[in-house]
């Protein structure tokens, strides 16, 4: 890559690293693994940076690489999720801190209980704000598959969260 391409990549990385890391965390539930997944996605992007013609598609490429890396990582036998007593994340700010923490912790625990492919669909649909067609494109599958994975993922998430959280809205 020439100097201009390196500069463009550095600017893109600086602008997107936090959002990619947050998405990775939602996919895997662990900040350390999220850092690894984000790094994997950015390294793959860096390798192809000078061959990308449509810069508008860069976010979709990073998202797709991130989801695939997350699913691949979850399939590795030496990588099993470990549950810890405290989540290593900063305290959220707001007027009702106790409710926000309980809801956030419950949601993250529920997401960890959902299979990786369904979790990826839920994160892309509801946290990244993609529509069904966008998720299908990002994951390289049909829209029908996205719809069925969404329905199954939501059912699994509801089951994991239980009535306690559903009563709260």
């Amino acid at each position: 890559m020439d100097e201009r391409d390196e500069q463009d990549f550095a600017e893109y990385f600086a602008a997107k690293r936090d959002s990619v890391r947050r998405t990775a965390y939602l996919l895997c539930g662990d900040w350390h693994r999220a850092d690894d997944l984000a790094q994997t996605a950015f390294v793959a992007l860096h390798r192809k940076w000078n061959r990308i013609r449509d810069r508008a598609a860069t976010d979709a490429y990073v998202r797709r690489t991130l989801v695939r890396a997350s699913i691949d990582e979850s399939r590795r036998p030496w990588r099993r999720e470990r549950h810890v007593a405290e989540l290593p994340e900063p305290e959220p700010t707001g007027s009702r801190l106790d409710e926000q923490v309980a809801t956030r912790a419950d949601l993250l625990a529920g997401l960890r209980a959902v299979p990786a492919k369904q979790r990826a669909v839920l994160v892309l649909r509801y946290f990244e704000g993609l529509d069904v067609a966008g998720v299908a494109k990002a994951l390289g599958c049909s829209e029908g598959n996205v719809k069925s994975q969404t329905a199954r993922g939501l059912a699994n998430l509801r089951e994991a969260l239980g009535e306690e959280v559903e009563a709260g809205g």
Side-chain angles (χ1 to χ4, degrees):
M1 280 198 301
D2 65 11
E3 194 172 317
R4 180 68 188 144
D5 283 340
E6 286 289 345
Q7 181 64 30
D8 288 346
F9 179 81
E11 289 171 7
Y12 180 82
F13 174 77
K16 298 294 182 173
R17 73 176 158 219
D18 291 335
S19 67
V20 169
R21 184 174 179 254
R22 281 191 300 272
T23 301
Y25 178 75
L26 290 170
L27 290 169
C28 70
D30 178 270
W31 283 112
H32 299 289
R33 283 181 57 203
D35 288 336
D36 292 344
L37 292 171
Q39 180 179 1
T40 299
F42 281 119
V43 166
L45 176 64
H46 187 266
R47 278 191 226 124
K48 296 190 180 221
W49 186 258
N50 61 347
R51 293 184 303 239
I52 296 175
R53 294 180 188 170
D54 182 12
R55 297 286 186 198
T58 306
D59 289 346
Y61 176 79
V62 170
R63 199 177 302 114
R64 186 176 196 164
T65 304
L66 188 65
V67 169
R68 285 182 175 178
S70 174
I71 292 170
D72 288 347
E73 181 75 15
S74 70
R75 291 178 180 157
R76 294 191 177 129
W78 61 85
R79 279 288 211 193
R80 300 292 182 223
E81 293 183 12
R82 289 179 227 128
H83 298 282
V84 295
E86 292 183 36
L87 294 175
E89 60 186 33
E91 291 185 24
T93 59
S95 58
R96 300 181 73 179
L97 184 62
D98 59 337
E99 288 182 18
Q100 287 179 2
V101 171
T103 303
R104 181 181 176 100
D106 291 340
L107 177 61
L108 294 174
L111 279 173
R112 283 192 296 272
V114 175
K117 180 89 176 201
Q118 294 172 10
R119 185 181 328 137
V121 170
L122 293 177
V123 168
L124 293 176
R125 285 270 294 136
Y126 299 106
F127 293 96
E128 287 290 313
L130 296 179
D131 60 1
V132 172
V135 174
K137 186 176 179 184
L139 296 177
C141 62
S142 69
E143 290 183 18
N145 189 3
V146 170
K147 291 175 185 177
S148 66
Q149 292 293 324
T150 301
R152 289 183 192 123
L154 287 173
N156 286 332
L157 185 60
R158 283 187 191 103
E159 184 178 316
L161 294 177
E163 288 183 37
E164 175 183 312
V165 176
E166 288 180 343

